Amino acid sequence: MSNIGILGAGRVGTNLASALSAAGHHVTLGGRHPEDTGARTPGLAPQITFADQRTTARTTDIVINATPGDSSLDRLTGLRAELAGKILIDVSNATRDSADGLPGDLCYPGSSLAERLQAALPDTHVVKTLNTMLFMVMTAPQTLATPPTVYVSGDDENAKKTVTGLLGDLGWQPERIEDLGDITTARATEAMILVVPHILRRHGFKPFAVSLAR
C-alpha cells in the first residue's frame, strides 16, 4: 500500500481521499487550514490524516494535485523541494470561469497545466489523469451505464505504471485505461473540459465522463 498525499480538500480531494483510504492506502489530506478540514468533512474515515499542503507534500510518496487548476502552477512550484523525486498525479483542469461560474477558456491554450507543472518541477514525475469526468466518477466508474474511459499522460513509464495500479484500486478496469503517451498529450484531455459547461447547462450536475467508444 502507498503513502498518498492529496493537495486540496474540496469535493475532488475528499472524494479521492475516502476511496484511496478504503482501498488500504495511508492518505494525508492537505488543506490550507488543516485544523478546520476535519470539522468541515465529518464523513471522512478516521484514519485519514490532515496536514498543511507543504507537510503533505514532504511526508508522502505519491502526491495528487486536486487544487484549483488556475492556481495550481503557482502553488506547486512553491513545493518544488518537497515534490522532488515523487510522483505527482495531476487531476485538475486550468480554466477561467464563465459568468455563470462554469469552466470557460483554458488558462494554457496550446499547452496544458500538466506540461507547465512538469517543466516547473523537473525532478518530479507528473502524470495526468482523471480530469475528463465529474468528480464522483473518479472513484466509481462502474456507476455509469456506459463504461467510461480514463486517460493517462506522462513521460515516465514506471510512474504511469504506478498510477495505473492506483486507478485499479479506484475501480478502473485495465481495458478502460487509455495511455495516450508523454506529458504533451495532456493538452488533448485538458481541452476536453471545454465540452463540460455545455453538458452541465443542458443536463444539470449529473455524473458523466468523456469516453472512447470502440
Side-chain angles (χ1 to χ4, degrees):
M1 295 294 104
S2 301
N3 186 11
I4 300 172
I6 300 176
L7 306 180
R11 292 180 299 185
V12 174
T14 54
N15 183 49
L16 288 169
S18 293
L20 290 168
S21 178
H25 299 285
H26 180 269
V27 177
T28 301
L29 190 58
R32 286 187 169 183
H33 306 288
E35 66 278 5
D36 298 330
T37 301
R40 293 198 311 267
T41 52
L44 288 178
Q47 61 266 32
I48 294 174
T49 302
F50 301 99
D52 62 85
Q53 294 184 356
R54 188 172 299 278
T55 300
T56 299
R58 186 181 69 250
T59 59
T60 56
D61 301 318
I62 298 171
V63 179
I64 299 174
N65 173 39
T67 65
D70 60 348
S71 61
S72 289
L73 186 58
D74 287 340
R75 294 189 198 203
L76 273 65
T77 298
L79 301 175
R80 188 179 204 177
E82 289 81 2
L83 292 170
K86 300 181 180 182
I87 296 173
L88 175 65
I89 304 173
D90 179 32
V91 304
S92 295
N93 288 303
T95 61
R96 298 180 181 88
D97 287 349
S98 300
D100 60 1
L102 293 176
D105 295 333
L106 298 174
C107 290
Y108 308 113
S111 183
S112 65
L113 172 59
E115 289 174 83
R116 298 294 183 99
L117 287 170
Q118 186 62 84
L121 305 167
D123 298 322
T124 302
H125 303 303
V126 179
V127 179
K128 188 81 182 192
T129 193
L130 289 173
N131 64 306
T132 56
M133 61 201 71
L134 290 192
F135 74 92
M136 63 284 285
V137 181
M138 294 178 176
T139 58
Q142 71 281 358
T143 60
L144 295 186
T146 302
T149 304
V150 62
Y151 306 93
V152 178
S153 301
D155 291 338
D156 187 274
E157 294 301 322
N158 288 329
K160 288 195 289 185
K161 186 175 181 180
T162 297
V163 172
T164 296
L166 291 179
L167 291 173
D169 290 341
L170 294 176
W172 292 91
Q173 298 300 313
E175 64 272 16
R176 304 308 304 175
I177 302 173
E178 191 73 24
D179 185 346
L180 297 179
D182 67 25
I183 201 65
T184 64
T185 63
R187 68 183 63 179
T189 57
E190 288 191 25
M192 291 179 185
I193 190 66
L194 297 178
V195 76
V196 169
H198 308 297
I199 293 173
L200 294 181
R201 290 183 188 112
R202 288 182 62 85
H203 302 287
F205 203 75
K206 299 177 181 178
F208 76 91
V210 180
S211 298
L212 178 64
R214 291 190 177 92

